[in-house]
């Protein structure tokens, strides 16, 4: 587990899991929203965004937090692990609202890129019907070379991270590739 793509709805816990993995594995973490948006929420042109991701995935070790489905194939082609935060819509909505309360609006140095408006809420509400099937279809294309870890709640995400940390601390080979989890979220 050296090159990890973390995907899921807004408010699902991608940033939390990405940060934890980055710290545990001593791997740089990239938040795609930080690459895509400037401080005034203007998006990077599509080709520049794709080029930037190609630069990031050319590294040996990384964690990339974010969906951006149009450029997902870039990350999937280069990663060895996908962590899919597959939480229910209500949990994601609560996550978006809690993030707004906790961090406030705007972009923060800690990787939180927070804006709450009707468009964001609509995206979260429709994610499971619209975006999730696209993500799963993209992941199926690379299933032979990528381990997919599907986490269906924040509690399961914390447990998976705790178990992964315990396995790493007791393993004599730190960079060993973990057992594939397929659709299992432990």
């Amino acid at each position: 587990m050296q090159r990890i793509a973390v995907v899921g709805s807004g408010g699902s816990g991608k940033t939390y899991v990405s940060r934890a993995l980055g710290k545990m594995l001593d791997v740089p973490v990239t938040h795609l929203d930080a690459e895509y948006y400037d401080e005034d929420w203007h998006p990077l042109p599509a080709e520049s965004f794709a080029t930037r991701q190609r630069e990031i995935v050319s590294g040996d070790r990384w964690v990339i937090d974010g969906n951006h489905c149009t450029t997902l194939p870039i990350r999937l082609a280069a990663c060895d692990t996908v962590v899919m935060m597959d939480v229910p819509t209500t949990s994601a909505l609560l996550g978006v609202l809690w993030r707004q309360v906790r961090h406030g609006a705007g972009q923060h140095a800690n990787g939180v890129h927070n804006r709450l408006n009707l468009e964001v809420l609509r995206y979260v509400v429709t994610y499971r019907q619209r975006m999730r099937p696209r993500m799963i279809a993209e992941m199926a294309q690379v299933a032979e070379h990528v381990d997919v870890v599907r986490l269906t709640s924040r509690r399961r995400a914390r447990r998976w991270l705790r178990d992964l940390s315990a396995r790493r601390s007791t393993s004599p080979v730190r960079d060993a590739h973990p057992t594939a989890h397929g659709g299992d979220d432990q």
Side-chain angles (χ1 to χ4, degrees):
M1 187 183 295
Q2 301 293 315
R3 296 174 312 279
I4 306 159
V6 181
V7 298
S9 174
S12 65
K14 293 185 306 293
T15 299
Y16 171 81
V17 168
S18 297
R19 283 189 201 142
L21 286 169
K23 184 176 179 180
M24 180 189 319
L25 302 171
D26 193 27
V27 174
V29 177
T30 299
H31 304 281
L32 285 183
D33 283 349
E35 301 295 326
Y36 187 66
Y37 294 107
D38 68 16
E39 61 195 29
D40 295 319
W41 294 104
H42 298 118
L44 197 61
E47 189 49 45
S48 298
F49 185 50
T51 298
R52 178 65 187 125
Q53 285 182 68
R54 286 186 201 98
E55 292 168 1
I56 295 165
V57 301
S58 70
D60 292 334
R61 303 174 73 223
W62 42 262
V63 173
I64 299 178
D65 160 7
N67 278 345
H68 295 273
C69 200
T70 57
T71 57
L72 182 61
I74 294 169
R75 297 185 304 281
L76 291 179
C79 73
D80 58 39
T81 305
V82 174
V83 177
M84 181 178 190
M85 297 302 299
D86 198 17
V87 304
T89 301
T90 53
S91 293
L93 282 169
L94 289 171
V96 167
L97 295 172
W98 175 243
R99 183 174 60 208
Q100 180 76 19
V101 169
R102 187 170 177 195
H103 296 286
Q107 298 184 36
H108 308 281
N110 63 359
V112 174
H113 299 275
N114 197 26
R115 90 183 146 164
L116 188 59
N117 58 31
L118 189 55
E119 181 182 336
V120 171
L121 292 173
R122 186 177 307 120
Y123 174 79
V124 172
V125 167
T126 63
Y127 177 86
R128 292 187 72 77
Q129 292 78 35
R130 297 180 70 189
M131 184 61 72
R132 182 177 178 269
R134 291 175 58 195
M135 304 293 280
I136 290 171
E138 290 284 351
M139 288 186 286
Q141 300 291 322
V142 296
E144 289 183 18
H145 82 273
V146 174
D147 290 332
V148 176
V149 180
R150 183 175 159 257
L151 302 170
T152 58
S153 70
R154 285 180 183 77
R155 183 177 71 225
R156 288 185 180 192
R158 287 189 302 271
R159 185 179 344 142
W160 178 74
L161 289 166
R162 190 173 50 246
D163 292 349
L164 181 61
S165 180
R167 283 194 309 267
R168 288 187 54 78
S169 66
T170 60
S171 172
V173 181
R174 285 225 176 253
D175 291 331
H177 198 65
T179 306
H181 298 290
D184 185 11
D185 59 10
Q186 290 194 359

